[in-house]
Amino acid sequence: MALPDDLPTVTLTGTYTHPDGSPMKGSVSVTPTPGKVVAADSGLTIQGRAKQKIGNDGRVTLTVLATDAPGINPANFTYAVKIAFPDAPGDEFTIELPAAAPNVQLPAITPASPSDGDYVVITGPEGPEGPAGPAGADGEPGPAGADGSNADAEQYTDDALATEITRANAAYDPAGSATAARTAAINTAAGDATTKANNAQAAAISTAAADATAKANAAQAAAISAASSDATTKAGNAQAAAVSAAATSAASLYLPNAIQTVDAYLAGATPSSPRFFGHRGGGMVRPEHTLVGYRACAAMGFALEVSVNVDASGELWCLHDLTLDRTTYQTGALNTYTTEEVGQAVLTNGRTLLGPGWTDQRMVPLRQVLDEFLGRIPILLEPKGNDAVVPTQTLLDTYYPHAPRSVVWKAHIGTLSLPWAKSRGYRTWVYLDSNTTDAAMDAKDSLVDYWGVSTTFTDLRITQVKDRGKPVFAWPVYRRSQVARLTGLGVVGMMSSDPRYVSTNLPQRTFSRWGLAVKESGGTPTLDYDTAYALVFGEGADAGWVSINALPNQSYGLGTYSPIQGSAAGYRIAFDMKYKVLPGATVHGGYYFGKASDDPYRFTTANATGGYHLVMRASGDMQLYRHTSGVTTGTQIGSTIATTAPVADTAMSFQIDVTPTTVEARRTDGTGWTTGPIADTTYRGGYHGLSNGSITDLATRPYWRNLIITQL
């Protein structure tokens, strides 16, 4: 199979012969030195060796991937080339094959072995050119002539001197009286010339030899140094490339692609289409920061908010507080417990907030959460204690290099960890407090992707933060009325302790199962995460009954059954109520309904939205009240109905009928106890709930069971 057309290649060619020209046999192989090369865009992995035999004509051709091909990891890798012959030494060397040179001759890039020893060629002085004479006949080969330039020079000098002597004798000294003098002078000159020539030759040879030796030594040292440096550099590059390739390969094997990235989850988030995050794993309906909570949120498609702290052994655990006091049966700081102690002896106490039907849950290590959910759903991750920050960073750097795709680094505005997060490519969610100044926000603005505001902030402050131009997420959100307010202010993200409830506007059921003693989604106490305002599930003889163990004038919203979906004729609310201990005759408990919103409803309180209130007094009087928004007192509608006084720890049964034009309340454990249809159309909202009414002693609080919503 050929390489994809969009990847550049290089073709290697070469011809190999014996000294007599006959073709050689052998092979050429090319192997990527990282061991594995990955082309991410093509989904191609290249590894092993490419091998080609030398043909019968001594030629070989081999085409391979260019080492600087785009999209290749590691980038700019190298090849190990091996040329092997059965009857001659081969060659092994490492090369780069860039795409800029698509055709490469192997002999041109194969290192050649240097010859042994040094040599120097010295050439003597050249004599004058004589006149050309006629060509003579070829004679018998003579004895070997002089092989040095000095002998030629001496012969030439002797011949010239003899000619000069003959000419001088004939022209100037026929008597021959000067012959001896001239002969002596010439001999002296010739001897001196010979000596100087010999000395010059010896000096030239010595100088040339010394220079050649020095240059050879210098060249050898430079070559060795360059080769060593080059080898070190290439080895370092190869090691770095191998480590990078191994990390990339490991990450790809662990999680080839994030199923849900942060950017994909938040794409298109607007106030009309906000995104929801399971605050503490949905801690108002499941034990907070536990696997059961995280799994439920992920199964519904909500992002997770995960807080972590570190134990005495350095293990990171999912926990909001620095201590175990609030959420477990143990006490004291987490960082005083070992990993073994936390794993074996610490259980969460979600039963106190969420009902005795819950099974105690074990705490969960951060690594278990990351292994199960990373890449499957976005995670907002926050180290809560200062001592947990570095261990969290180290864990992510070492074992989860792909985490920035699906993890948001969550931190308070005062944190020092934001530069680390941004340098790794994490998105950041930075939450504010009531004392955060604009100057503090300006200083951190370049490190922030999303701002966080509390639901306790004023509308003005939330608007100011939104107007800075970055997405804003709010926390903690557990009511639909909070979502309506926040989206109206431009908030696009909801950190919710009950995301299933607040992300819809539909009821989840029409009848209670309080006998299971498990808190329902949509249950809205006055305060979230506070056991003092939680719904109390009866046990033993009171199994199936619920109550509100808080004062004064507390209520509990039943968003699970809201908004009520009536027929064209209206709807009916039916339930049982009792007092285990009877209060004073005029004291009452009851039920509220007709509200347009799930904001808190409290008797004798100026509520945000209005509605109706059924009261049952300990004297037996049953009444209906209408409460106007912003007004503390209610207005009775219809007549007071005198029924039989309640009996301690004995059930009473009630029905409330709401039609498009009337409201009617009945006590049905007797006969004739009804207000009759009262013409009142003031409130037709679908939100309702339980009310402690006017009780002042928790021992006398009302209990409810068997809630059923039906259409008329």
Side-chain angles (χ1 to χ4, degrees), residues 185-207:
I186 290 170
N187 287 340
T188 301
D192 183 60
T194 299
T195 299
K196 290 182 176 179
N198 290 337
N199 291 341
Q201 180 184 24
I205 291 171
S206 176
T207 300

PDB file of all heavy atoms in Angstrom, residues 185-207:
ATOM      1  N   ALA A 185      85.618  30.632 -10.739  1.00  0.00           N
ATOM      2  CA  ALA A 185      84.445  31.425 -10.367  1.00  0.00           C
ATOM      3  C   ALA A 185      83.162  30.666 -10.641  1.00  0.00           C
ATOM      4  O   ALA A 185      82.229  30.650  -9.844  1.00  0.00           O
ATOM      5  CB  ALA A 185      84.452  32.764 -11.136  1.00  0.00           C
ATOM      6  N   ILE A 186      83.182  30.052 -11.828  1.00  0.00           N
ATOM      7  CA  ILE A 186      81.963  29.312 -12.199  1.00  0.00           C
ATOM      8  C   ILE A 186      81.741  28.147 -11.249  1.00  0.00           C
ATOM      9  O   ILE A 186      80.631  27.884 -10.801  1.00  0.00           O
ATOM     10  CB  ILE A 186      82.074  28.823 -13.657  1.00  0.00           C
ATOM     11  CG1 ILE A 186      81.993  30.042 -14.602  1.00  0.00           C
ATOM     12  CG2 ILE A 186      80.980  27.824 -13.995  1.00  0.00           C
ATOM     13  CD1 ILE A 186      82.330  29.710 -16.044  1.00  0.00           C
ATOM     14  N   ASN A 187      82.820  27.436 -10.909  1.00  0.00           N
ATOM     15  CA  ASN A 187      82.668  26.317  -9.982  1.00  0.00           C
ATOM     16  C   ASN A 187      82.141  26.769  -8.622  1.00  0.00           C
ATOM     17  O   ASN A 187      81.315  26.101  -7.981  1.00  0.00           O
ATOM     18  CB  ASN A 187      84.015  25.609  -9.814  1.00  0.00           C
ATOM     19  CG  ASN A 187      84.392  24.801 -11.072  1.00  0.00           C
ATOM     20  OD1 ASN A 187      83.534  24.463 -11.885  1.00  0.00           O
ATOM     21  ND2 ASN A 187      85.684  24.499 -11.214  1.00  0.00           N
ATOM     22  N   THR A 188      82.685  27.926  -8.191  1.00  0.00           N
ATOM     23  CA  THR A 188      82.210  28.460  -6.910  1.00  0.00           C
ATOM     24  C   THR A 188      80.725  28.799  -6.957  1.00  0.00           C
ATOM     25  O   THR A 188      79.955  28.487  -6.056  1.00  0.00           O
ATOM     26  CB  THR A 188      83.010  29.703  -6.517  1.00  0.00           C
ATOM     27  OG1 THR A 188      84.398  29.344  -6.412  1.00  0.00           O
ATOM     28  CG2 THR A 188      82.530  30.302  -5.199  1.00  0.00           C
ATOM     29  N   ALA A 189      80.313  29.484  -8.057  1.00  0.00           N
ATOM     30  CA  ALA A 189      78.900  29.863  -8.209  1.00  0.00           C
ATOM     31  C   ALA A 189      77.983  28.638  -8.274  1.00  0.00           C
ATOM     32  O   ALA A 189      76.909  28.580  -7.672  1.00  0.00           O
ATOM     33  CB  ALA A 189      78.710  30.733  -9.458  1.00  0.00           C
ATOM     34  N   ALA A 190      78.444  27.653  -9.031  1.00  0.00           N
ATOM     35  CA  ALA A 190      77.632  26.442  -9.170  1.00  0.00           C
ATOM     36  C   ALA A 190      77.467  25.735  -7.830  1.00  0.00           C
ATOM     37  O   ALA A 190      76.396  25.258  -7.472  1.00  0.00           O
ATOM     38  CB  ALA A 190      78.275  25.499 -10.212  1.00  0.00           C
ATOM     39  N   GLY A 191      78.574  25.671  -7.074  1.00  0.00           N
ATOM     40  CA  GLY A 191      78.493  25.025  -5.755  1.00  0.00           C
ATOM     41  C   GLY A 191      77.530  25.748  -4.814  1.00  0.00           C
ATOM     42  O   GLY A 191      76.772  25.139  -4.082  1.00  0.00           O
ATOM     43  N   ASP A 192      77.651  27.107  -4.861  1.00  0.00           N
ATOM     44  CA  ASP A 192      76.766  27.895  -3.995  1.00  0.00           C
ATOM     45  C   ASP A 192      75.307  27.708  -4.385  1.00  0.00           C
ATOM     46  O   ASP A 192      74.416  27.569  -3.523  1.00  0.00           O
ATOM     47  CB  ASP A 192      77.165  29.373  -4.104  1.00  0.00           C
ATOM     48  CG  ASP A 192      76.335  30.249  -3.190  1.00  0.00           C
ATOM     49  OD1 ASP A 192      76.377  30.026  -1.952  1.00  0.00           O
ATOM     50  OD2 ASP A 192      75.611  31.139  -3.686  1.00  0.00           O
ATOM     51  N   ALA A 193      75.042  27.695  -5.710  1.00  0.00           N
ATOM     52  CA  ALA A 193      73.652  27.509  -6.186  1.00  0.00           C
ATOM     53  C   ALA A 193      73.124  26.153  -5.767  1.00  0.00           C
ATOM     54  O   ALA A 193      71.971  26.006  -5.345  1.00  0.00           O
ATOM     55  CB  ALA A 193      73.605  27.654  -7.718  1.00  0.00           C
ATOM     56  N   THR A 194      74.006  25.150  -5.896  1.00  0.00           N
ATOM     57  CA  THR A 194      73.578  23.800  -5.523  1.00  0.00           C
ATOM     58  C   THR A 194      73.242  23.726  -4.038  1.00  0.00           C
ATOM     59  O   THR A 194      72.208  23.152  -3.615  1.00  0.00           O
ATOM     60  CB  THR A 194      74.673  22.783  -5.858  1.00  0.00           C
ATOM     61  OG1 THR A 194      74.896  22.813  -7.262  1.00  0.00           O
ATOM     62  CG2 THR A 194      74.259  21.379  -5.453  1.00  0.00           C
ATOM     63  N   THR A 195      74.084  24.306  -3.217  1.00  0.00           N
ATOM     64  CA  THR A 195      73.852  24.300  -1.767  1.00  0.00           C
ATOM     65  C   THR A 195      72.540  25.005  -1.415  1.00  0.00           C
ATOM     66  O   THR A 195      71.726  24.516  -0.613  1.00  0.00           O
ATOM     67  CB  THR A 195      75.013  24.970  -1.039  1.00  0.00           C
ATOM     68  OG1 THR A 195      76.207  24.230  -1.324  1.00  0.00           O
ATOM     69  CG2 THR A 195      74.779  25.011   0.473  1.00  0.00           C
ATOM     70  N   LYS A 196      72.353  26.192  -2.011  1.00  0.00           N
ATOM     71  CA  LYS A 196      71.124  26.953  -1.717  1.00  0.00           C
ATOM     72  C   LYS A 196      69.884  26.211  -2.194  1.00  0.00           C
ATOM     73  O   LYS A 196      68.847  26.210  -1.528  1.00  0.00           O
ATOM     74  CB  LYS A 196      71.197  28.335  -2.358  1.00  0.00           C
ATOM     75  CG  LYS A 196      72.223  29.247  -1.677  1.00  0.00           C
ATOM     76  CD  LYS A 196      72.239  30.630  -2.295  1.00  0.00           C
ATOM     77  CE  LYS A 196      73.206  31.558  -1.544  1.00  0.00           C
ATOM     78  NZ  LYS A 196      73.277  32.909  -2.132  1.00  0.00           N
ATOM     79  N   ALA A 197      70.022  25.585  -3.380  1.00  0.00           N
ATOM     80  CA  ALA A 197      68.851  24.838  -3.880  1.00  0.00           C
ATOM     81  C   ALA A 197      68.521  23.686  -2.948  1.00  0.00           C
ATOM     82  O   ALA A 197      67.363  23.425  -2.638  1.00  0.00           O
ATOM     83  CB  ALA A 197      69.137  24.323  -5.298  1.00  0.00           C
ATOM     84  N   ASN A 198      69.571  22.975  -2.513  1.00  0.00           N
ATOM     85  CA  ASN A 198      69.341  21.863  -1.589  1.00  0.00           C
ATOM     86  C   ASN A 198      68.719  22.336  -0.272  1.00  0.00           C
ATOM     87  O   ASN A 198      67.799  21.714   0.281  1.00  0.00           O
ATOM     88  CB  ASN A 198      70.648  21.122  -1.319  1.00  0.00           C
ATOM     89  CG  ASN A 198      71.135  20.331  -2.540  1.00  0.00           C
ATOM     90  OD1 ASN A 198      70.335  19.984  -3.407  1.00  0.00           O
ATOM     91  ND2 ASN A 198      72.439  20.073  -2.605  1.00  0.00           N
ATOM     92  N   ASN A 199      69.256  23.458   0.238  1.00  0.00           N
ATOM     93  CA  ASN A 199      68.707  23.995   1.496  1.00  0.00           C
ATOM     94  C   ASN A 199      67.253  24.439   1.340  1.00  0.00           C
ATOM     95  O   ASN A 199      66.390  24.217   2.213  1.00  0.00           O
ATOM     96  CB  ASN A 199      69.552  25.176   1.987  1.00  0.00           C
ATOM     97  CG  ASN A 199      70.933  24.721   2.457  1.00  0.00           C
ATOM     98  OD1 ASN A 199      71.140  23.545   2.752  1.00  0.00           O
ATOM     99  ND2 ASN A 199      71.879  25.649   2.529  1.00  0.00           N
ATOM    100  N   ALA A 200      66.992  25.110   0.200  1.00  0.00           N
ATOM    101  CA  ALA A 200      65.617  25.573  -0.055  1.00  0.00           C
ATOM    102  C   ALA A 200      64.653  24.405  -0.163  1.00  0.00           C
ATOM    103  O   ALA A 200      63.543  24.429   0.338  1.00  0.00           O
ATOM    104  CB  ALA A 200      65.581  26.428  -1.330  1.00  0.00           C
ATOM    105  N   GLN A 201      65.136  23.357  -0.893  1.00  0.00           N
ATOM    106  CA  GLN A 201      64.287  22.183  -1.038  1.00  0.00           C
ATOM    107  C   GLN A 201      63.989  21.541   0.314  1.00  0.00           C
ATOM    108  O   GLN A 201      62.850  21.190   0.626  1.00  0.00           O
ATOM    109  CB  GLN A 201      64.979  21.171  -1.969  1.00  0.00           C
ATOM    110  CG  GLN A 201      64.151  19.906  -2.176  1.00  0.00           C
ATOM    111  CD  GLN A 201      64.893  18.878  -3.008  1.00  0.00           C
ATOM    112  OE1 GLN A 201      66.121  18.895  -3.047  1.00  0.00           O
ATOM    113  NE2 GLN A 201      64.148  18.015  -3.662  1.00  0.00           N
ATOM    114  N   ALA A 202      65.040  21.389   1.126  1.00  0.00           N
ATOM    115  CA  ALA A 202      64.854  20.771   2.447  1.00  0.00           C
ATOM    116  C   ALA A 202      63.914  21.607   3.318  1.00  0.00           C
ATOM    117  O   ALA A 202      63.035  21.081   4.021  1.00  0.00           O
ATOM    118  CB  ALA A 202      66.218  20.610   3.118  1.00  0.00           C
ATOM    119  N   ALA A 203      64.091  22.947   3.260  1.00  0.00           N
ATOM    120  CA  ALA A 203      63.238  23.830   4.057  1.00  0.00           C
ATOM    121  C   ALA A 203      61.790  23.761   3.598  1.00  0.00           C
ATOM    122  O   ALA A 203      60.853  23.729   4.397  1.00  0.00           O
ATOM    123  CB  ALA A 203      63.752  25.276   3.972  1.00  0.00           C
ATOM    124  N   ALA A 204      61.613  23.735   2.253  1.00  0.00           N
ATOM    125  CA  ALA A 204      60.245  23.660   1.706  1.00  0.00           C
ATOM    126  C   ALA A 204      59.576  22.376   2.111  1.00  0.00           C
ATOM    127  O   ALA A 204      58.390  22.341   2.502  1.00  0.00           O
ATOM    128  CB  ALA A 204      60.277  23.793   0.177  1.00  0.00           C
ATOM    129  N   ILE A 205      60.331  21.269   2.016  1.00  0.00           N
ATOM    130  CA  ILE A 205      59.764  19.977   2.384  1.00  0.00           C
ATOM    131  C   ILE A 205      59.381  19.952   3.856  1.00  0.00           C
ATOM    132  O   ILE A 205      58.295  19.505   4.247  1.00  0.00           O
ATOM    133  CB  ILE A 205      60.756  18.844   2.058  1.00  0.00           C
ATOM    134  CG1 ILE A 205      60.901  18.698   0.540  1.00  0.00           C
ATOM    135  CG2 ILE A 205      60.318  17.531   2.681  1.00  0.00           C
ATOM    136  CD1 ILE A 205      62.014  17.749   0.120  1.00  0.00           C
ATOM    137  N   SER A 206      60.302  20.478   4.700  1.00  0.00           N
ATOM    138  CA  SER A 206      60.036  20.483   6.144  1.00  0.00           C
ATOM    139  C   SER A 206      58.819  21.344   6.488  1.00  0.00           C
ATOM    140  O   SER A 206      57.946  20.945   7.268  1.00  0.00           O
ATOM    141  CB  SER A 206      61.279  21.004   6.880  1.00  0.00           C
ATOM    142  OG  SER A 206      61.015  21.107   8.258  1.00  0.00           O
ATOM    143  N   THR A 207      58.772  22.556   5.868  1.00  0.00           N
ATOM    144  CA  THR A 207      57.645  23.468   6.150  1.00  0.00           C
ATOM    145  C   THR A 207      56.325  22.873   5.678  1.00  0.00           C
ATOM    146  O   THR A 207      55.308  22.902   6.379  1.00  0.00           O
ATOM    147  CB  THR A 207      57.869  24.818   5.470  1.00  0.00           C
ATOM    148  OG1 THR A 207      59.088  25.388   5.977  1.00  0.00           O
ATOM    149  CG2 THR A 207      56.705  25.772   5.718  1.00  0.00           C
TER     150      THR A 207
END
